[in-house]
Amino acid sequence: MTEAILLVGGKGTRLRPLTVHTPKPMVPAAGVPFLTHQLARARAAGVEYIVLATSYLAEVFEPHFGDGSALGLRLEYVTEEEPLGTGGAIRNVASRLHSGPDEPVLIFNGDILTGLDIRALVHTHRTSGADVSLHLTKVADPRAYGLVPTDGTGRVTAFLEKPQTPEEIVTDQINAGAYVFRRSVIDTIAVGRPVSVERETFPDLLAAGAHLQGMVDSTYWLDLGTPAAFVRGSSDLVLGRAPSPAVPGRCGDRLILPTALVATDAKLTGGTVVGEGAFVGEGARISGSTLLAGAVIEPGAVITDSLIGARSRIGERTVLSGAVIGDGAVIGADNELRDGVRVWCDARIPAGAVRFSSDQ
């Protein structure tokens, strides 16, 4: 198996303001654009040629990755003029594939961090004779996901929308966002209109009698759709909990990129990343967080499980927990911003303006 499609066209609205200037797959995780981890894992599994299905901020991808040779890959880019959904995006790039009708094509969603055994998924596809094979994972609470029950042989029996009652939870298996398609099946997807593989293509194939095979792989899996999940995914990569050959350094409590400056008494823990040209001042304490390029953390700041945008500045003694600070924002000294707060790009918050507790 040498070909793959990577779906990287989403707007990443749940991640704003991180995605105001940057498409979601290009937001840095563990020191490099998240997409780098996916490309590197695909290459390690034997993939040689990948078509990137782009849409939102499509012009960002090719200048960074070029022809893919630096990663040992051949890359091509196809841009959707209008968003086409997951199925429409797959169909839109079909002309760039070289596989024969019965050969397998690997397909990834561009926002999933996973330890999936890619070779095992392809092996399952080949040995089962499936038309489409799906990576399934088990989750403790499947209510937020579409359920994918299978029979004793792993063959998919249904696609069930998000369950609303306990009686509807017939399995804890969910669609994990990686597939192997028989090449000829891609050509059956409707052309030139939005199509969802999850809600249209897969149920229609099942209804038509096609063979859809599930492979349960419950290694590391995380949907990076929210800021909290993205921060966690980055820290898990640094800590070595999530596997990737693209982490630019040894796994451990922190990852400091070469041009960053960190005060000797600053404390960095929990898989914290300090990006290129960033600065961390004296006495700062940062845990499980990501500082993007050029961010400045002034002395005594305390930052936990947060993402600090490029060129932003966090004032002295300011406390952040579960926060997202957009590119170029300035947070003055002695502020306190708690879980879920999002500060927009280039915003200014004066010293001592926002607190969740007393200032004493």
Side-chain angles (χ1 to χ4, degrees), residues 170-261:
V170 298
T171 181
D172 58 358
Q173 297 174 176
I174 67 165
N175 178 354
Y179 321 112
V180 180
F181 273 65
R182 187 190 302 271
R183 170 66 182 83
S184 58
V185 174
I186 293 175
D187 292 330
T188 67
I189 300 173
V191 179
R193 67 169 177 86
V195 179
S196 165
V197 289
E198 301 86 354
R199 293 186 293 273
E200 182 176 344
T201 304
F202 291 156
D204 287 355
L205 285 169
L206 199 62
H211 180 175
L212 280 72
Q213 186 74 16
M215 187 194 82
V216 177
D217 183 321
S218 293
T219 53
Y220 185 98
W221 184 86
L222 185 64
D223 178 349
L224 301 186
T226 66
F230 201 97
V231 171
R232 177 184 157 198
S234 179
S235 63
D236 283 350
L237 283 161
V238 175
L239 291 166
R241 295 171 179 166
S244 170
V247 176
R250 297 176 60 183
C251 293
D253 252 358
R254 62 186 190 175
L255 173 64
I256 302 173
L257 295 192
T259 56
L261 294 175

Side-chain angles (χ1 to χ4, degrees), residues 1-6 35-52 65 67-75 106 108 116-119 122 243-246:
M1 190 252 337
T2 61
E3 292 195 313
I5 298 170
L6 201 44
L35 179 55
T36 308
H37 299 290
Q38 291 188 306
L39 294 173
R41 281 186 49 78
R43 182 66 191 95
V47 177
E48 298 172 357
Y49 172 71
I50 299 179
V51 183
L52 273 63
F65 292 107
D67 63 4
S69 57
L71 292 170
L73 291 163
R74 289 184 295 117
L75 298 180
L106 183 68
F108 288 116
L116 168 68
D117 186 337
I118 297 170
R119 292 182 186 273
V122 177
S244 170

Side-chain angles (χ1 to χ4, degrees), residues 2-356:
T2 61
E3 292 195 313
I5 298 170
L6 201 44
L7 305 176
V8 292
K11 291 186 176 181
T13 52
R14 290 185 296 159
L15 277 179
R16 288 169 73 86
L18 300 179
T19 51
V20 170
H21 302 125
T22 306
K24 178 167 54 176
M26 296 298 288
V27 176
V32 297
F34 173 66
L35 179 55
T36 308
H37 299 290
Q38 291 188 306
L39 294 173
R41 281 186 49 78
R43 182 66 191 95
V47 177
E48 298 172 357
Y49 172 71
I50 299 179
V51 183
L52 273 63
T54 67
S55 180
Y56 176 65
L57 296 176
E59 67 277 7
V60 172
F61 295 94
E62 189 167 3
H64 184 89
F65 292 107
D67 63 4
S69 57
L71 292 170
L73 291 163
R74 289 184 295 117
L75 298 180
E76 285 200 46
Y77 306 83
V78 177
T79 301
E80 302 161 28
E81 299 304 321
E82 297 291 336
L84 294 171
T86 48
I90 294 167
R91 184 66 180 89
N92 191 52
V93 306
S95 64
R96 302 295 184 93
L97 299 173
H98 309 294
S99 302
D102 291 326
E103 291 182 326
V105 177
L106 183 68
I107 298 172
F108 288 116
N109 278 333
D111 54 3
I112 301 296
L113 177 59
T114 177
L116 168 68
D117 186 337
I118 297 170
R119 292 182 186 273
L121 181 62
V122 177
H123 178 73
T124 294
H125 180 77
R126 290 187 184 279
T127 56
S128 67
D131 296 299
V132 179
S133 298
L134 296 85
H135 171 209
L136 307 179
T137 193
K138 294 178 180 289
V139 294
D141 184 0
R143 289 175 297 176
Y145 304 96
L147 310 185
V148 187
T150 53
D151 66 14
T153 68
R155 188 161 179 159
V156 174
T157 58
F159 290 91
L160 306 175
E161 284 301 309
K162 297 173 184 177
Q164 303 300 311
T165 66
E167 292 75 23
E168 293 177 296
I169 302 176
V170 298
T171 181
D172 58 358
Q173 297 174 176
I174 67 165
N175 178 354
Y179 321 112
V180 180
F181 273 65
R182 187 190 302 271
R183 170 66 182 83
S184 58
V185 174
I186 293 175
D187 292 330
T188 67
I189 300 173
V191 179
R193 67 169 177 86
V195 179
S196 165
V197 289
E198 301 86 354
R199 293 186 293 273
E200 182 176 344
T201 304
F202 291 156
D204 287 355
L205 285 169
L206 199 62
H211 180 175
L212 280 72
Q213 186 74 16
M215 187 194 82
V216 177
D217 183 321
S218 293
T219 53
Y220 185 98
W221 184 86
L222 185 64
D223 178 349
L224 301 186
T226 66
F230 201 97
V231 171
R232 177 184 157 198
S234 179
S235 63
D236 283 350
L237 283 161
V238 175
L239 291 166
R241 295 171 179 166
S244 170
V247 176
R250 297 176 60 183
C251 293
D253 252 358
R254 62 186 190 175
L255 173 64
I256 302 173
L257 295 192
T259 56
L261 294 175
V262 177
T264 55
D265 65 345
K267 186 175 183 181
L268 309 179
T269 59
T272 287
V273 180
V274 183
E276 295 181 358
F279 172 80
V280 179
E282 294 84 357
R285 302 199 311 275
I286 307 175
S287 176
S289 298
T290 294
L291 316 181
L292 298 186
V296 174
I297 311 302
E298 295 185 355
V302 179
I303 300 174
T304 305
D305 298 336
S306 297
L307 199 151
I308 312 303
R311 306 173 308 282
S312 56
R313 178 179 290 268
I314 309 302
E316 295 184 56
R317 299 174 300 280
T318 281
V319 175
L320 303 179
S321 177
V324 177
I325 309 301
D327 296 343
V330 176
I331 312 301
D334 299 307
N335 281 291
E336 181 186 5
L337 305 179
R338 292 292 180 181
D339 292 350
V341 69
R342 304 187 190 206
V343 177
W344 229 248
C345 300
D346 301 314
R348 300 288 187 270
I349 296 180
V354 179
R355 297 198 64 83
F356 282 71

